[in-house]
Amino acid sequence: MKAINIVAMVLLVMASHAQKQQSTYLGKTDFQALLTAVPKMPGNCQEAFGYVYYEELNRHSDKLEQRFASFNSQMEDAQKQMEQAFSAKYNAMMNDKGADRLQQDVKKQVNQNPVIANMGGVDAVQGMSEAQRKKAAKNAMVATAASNGMGMFTEAEMTRMMNDPAYAKQMAEKLNNMTDQQKMAFVQSRMNTEPVTPEEAEEDNIEFEKQLKDRQKTYNLMKFNTYSAEATQKLSALLQTYQTEKDRISSKKGSHKELDAQFEEDYKKIPIVVVGEGRDHDPVKVQELRIAYAAKHLDRAQQELNELVVSYNDMVAGIHQTIAEYDNFLDENKWVINATYQNTLNGTNPEFALIQVEQAIGTSISEVGKICHETTAMAAHYQYDLKYKQSE
């Protein structure tokens, strides 16, 4: 086995952190501010009534739409900007290729990566469970490292140098203070090999740098894709948890549906009396029953709202946290994003994985706005219904 110059690896890692970035739209949307712009959820039905109706019950009201106008405008602008930026990037990437051809190119290029190849190829990876994928990736990394000379380093050393610029710099400074003889002795001590000529070492260094770049690109791609899947799944789970809680709350004993059924039963029991020229259920008692059940529906709506607000606040807090985690991830890893379409084609540009995250965040915030709007309108309706029946 020929010697590999560790200096090349350390400096390569350091240089990758300083690479100049091309323009990207990622991180331009203030998602925290957008989520905060969603109007406040009402604390009770009377408060909701004030957000939706005027006290003059027969007066047409657009108060709720006005209340959401600013948020809706901000949401629409943000979605439009993201769509335009991401569509432009996608269209440029397509470069007059059809979707099928593009997919074939991506798969072909990715399969050329030694780590993906050692995992069995793209098709094999897609058919694995998450646990199988992690295990296969680890084994593939080891096999790739062993085959290209990186086996001289432990997995922990490789990972730390790729992710810790301070450690990489420390190693570089240490090695740069060595003489050429000391550097060669260090490499030989790690490799436990016979001395090689400078020409042989340089030949290996060139190949080593290429292989390391491939390994770093694959590592980045897998890291970003994993993060994207986890972040989008978390956002989806937050929305689904709220919906599940809403369904559970609305189906508890004493639901609006049960109240409607009970009203029909009680209505049938009201005596038939002469009404004008005909006969019908006693209108006085019917009106009393309607008011009584409107009050029951209002009580039920208030009970549901009390529980919904808790679940809603948990959902919003979870989305805020996910946005903060995304901001941190982007700050820590933006140096990896190269926005080069050819690199997208060979499977090493993680930008599109993050585009999926931003689109998922935007969709989640939009859904929060719809939930707040719908819940406010519904809570106000039950307050309105009682007031209206009392005024008849």
Side-chain angles (χ1 to χ4, degrees):
M1 183 182 294
K2 299 178 181 179
I4 304 296
N5 193 338
I6 191 174
V7 177
M9 184 198 71
V10 176
L11 296 182
L12 176 62
V13 173
M14 293 175 61
S16 66
H17 282 267
Q19 85 177 63
K20 184 177 180 180
Q21 297 302 307
Q22 297 186 31
S23 176
T24 175
Y25 189 78
L26 295 172
K28 300 293 181 63
T29 305
D30 190 343
F31 289 116
Q32 296 287 18
L34 190 58
L35 181 55
T36 302
V38 176
K40 174 179 172 289
M41 178 79 90
N44 54 67
C45 294
Q46 181 61 48
E47 183 181 354
F49 176 87
Y51 291 153
V52 180
Y53 298 103
Y54 293 105
E55 288 298 330
E56 301 89 340
L57 300 181
N58 291 321
R59 177 181 175 184
H60 173 74
S61 175
D62 59 356
K63 290 174 68 175
L64 187 59
E65 300 312 315
Q66 293 176 7
R67 179 173 173 75
F68 277 80
S70 177
F71 165 72
N72 289 338
S73 177
Q74 293 178 58
M75 187 75 246
E76 183 178 351
D77 287 345
Q79 288 178 323
K80 184 180 298 183
Q81 289 174 4
M82 284 192 292
E83 181 180 352
Q84 290 175 345
F86 299 155
S87 293
K89 186 170 292 295
Y90 176 78
N91 291 335
M93 181 192 71
M94 290 292 287
N95 193 24
D96 297 328
K97 289 188 176 184
D100 291 341
R101 173 71 181 280
L102 179 62
Q103 184 177 13
Q104 293 173 5
D105 286 349
V106 171
K107 182 182 293 188
K108 179 180 178 180
Q109 293 291 338
V110 174
N111 279 335
Q112 290 178 359
N113 187 281
V115 175
I116 298 298
N118 279 326
M119 292 177 69
V122 173
D123 292 334
V125 172
Q126 291 177 338
M128 296 178 183
S129 67
E130 182 177 355
Q132 290 172 328
R133 195 157 48 241
K134 288 182 178 180
K135 182 178 180 180
K138 184 176 181 180
N139 292 337
M141 290 290 188
V142 173
T144 303
S147 66
N148 63 29
M150 288 186 288
M152 62 182 288
F153 307 114
T154 67
E155 184 177 352
E157 288 174 324
M158 293 294 294
T159 300
R160 184 175 178 185
M161 281 187 280
M162 287 183 180
N163 294 281
D164 188 344
Y167 179 67
K169 182 178 180 181
Q170 177 184 345
M171 289 293 291
E173 290 176 348
K174 176 181 177 180
L175 293 173
N176 285 336
N177 289 330
M178 294 181 180
T179 64
D180 290 340
Q181 291 77 12
Q182 289 173 326
K183 291 176 184 178
M184 188 61 70
F186 176 78
V187 173
Q188 291 172 359
S189 68
R190 298 301 299 269
M191 297 286 293
N192 191 26
T193 62
E194 295 297 324
V196 296
T197 67
E199 291 77 13
E200 290 175 324
E202 179 61 24
E203 180 183 341
D204 276 348
N205 286 343
I206 294 173
E207 178 62 21
F208 174 79
E209 289 185 13
K210 178 180 181 300
Q211 293 171 339
L212 181 58
K213 287 179 181 179
D214 288 341
R215 183 180 188 276
Q216 179 68 56
K217 289 176 181 179
T218 302
Y219 172 82
N220 290 337
L221 181 65
M222 294 176 65
K223 176 181 179 181
F224 276 68
N225 285 344
T226 298
Y227 170 77
S228 176
E230 291 175 349
T232 53
Q233 175 59 34
K234 181 176 181 179
L235 291 167
S236 176
L238 287 167
L239 292 169
Q240 183 57 52
T241 297
Y242 174 83
Q243 184 61 49
T244 299
E245 278 298 287
K246 179 184 177 183
D247 293 342
R248 181 190 67 80
I249 292 168
S250 65
S251 62
K252 290 170 64 175
K253 185 177 180 180
S255 67
H256 292 295
K257 184 177 181 179
E258 291 178 0
L259 287 174
D260 287 337
Q262 188 59 50
F263 171 84
E264 293 298 327
E265 292 298 319
D266 291 344
Y267 176 80
K268 294 175 183 178
K269 297 175 184 178
I270 295 176
I272 302 295
V273 298
V274 175
V275 180
E277 297 180 356
R279 296 172 60 81
D280 202 348
H281 294 282
D282 187 336
V284 174
K285 293 187 179 298
V286 169
Q287 181 63 8
E288 291 174 351
L289 187 66
R290 285 175 175 167
I291 292 174
Y293 269 89
K296 290 182 179 181
H297 276 291
L298 179 59
D299 288 342
R300 174 67 185 196
Q302 185 60 59
Q303 293 173 20
E304 291 188 5
L305 182 60
N306 291 340
E307 294 189 58
L308 278 175
V309 168
V310 175
S311 297
Y312 175 86
N313 289 339
D314 288 343
M315 173 182 62
V316 172
I319 296 175
H320 271 300
Q321 179 183 350
T322 305
I323 294 171
E325 292 170 351
Y326 171 69
D327 289 339
N328 290 335
F329 184 89
L330 195 60
D331 287 342
E332 294 171 359
N333 297 280
K334 187 175 288 187
W335 59 272
V336 176
I337 304 170
N338 50 49
T340 301
Y341 301 117
Q342 181 57 42
N343 285 351
T344 299
L345 290 177
N346 66 28
T348 58
N349 185 352
E351 187 168 11
F352 283 89
L354 296 189
I355 286 176
Q356 293 177 352
V357 176
E358 293 211 356
Q359 290 175 328
I361 292 174
T363 298
S364 298
I365 296 175
S366 178
E367 288 301 311
V368 169
K370 293 176 183 177
I371 289 170
C372 185
H373 185 286
E374 175 186 300
T375 305
T376 302
M378 186 59 67
H381 161 76
Y382 288 107
Q383 184 71 63
Y384 172 90
D385 191 52
L386 176 59
K387 287 177 179 289
Y388 186 81
K389 286 182 169 61
Q390 289 174 333
S391 68
E392 290 181 325

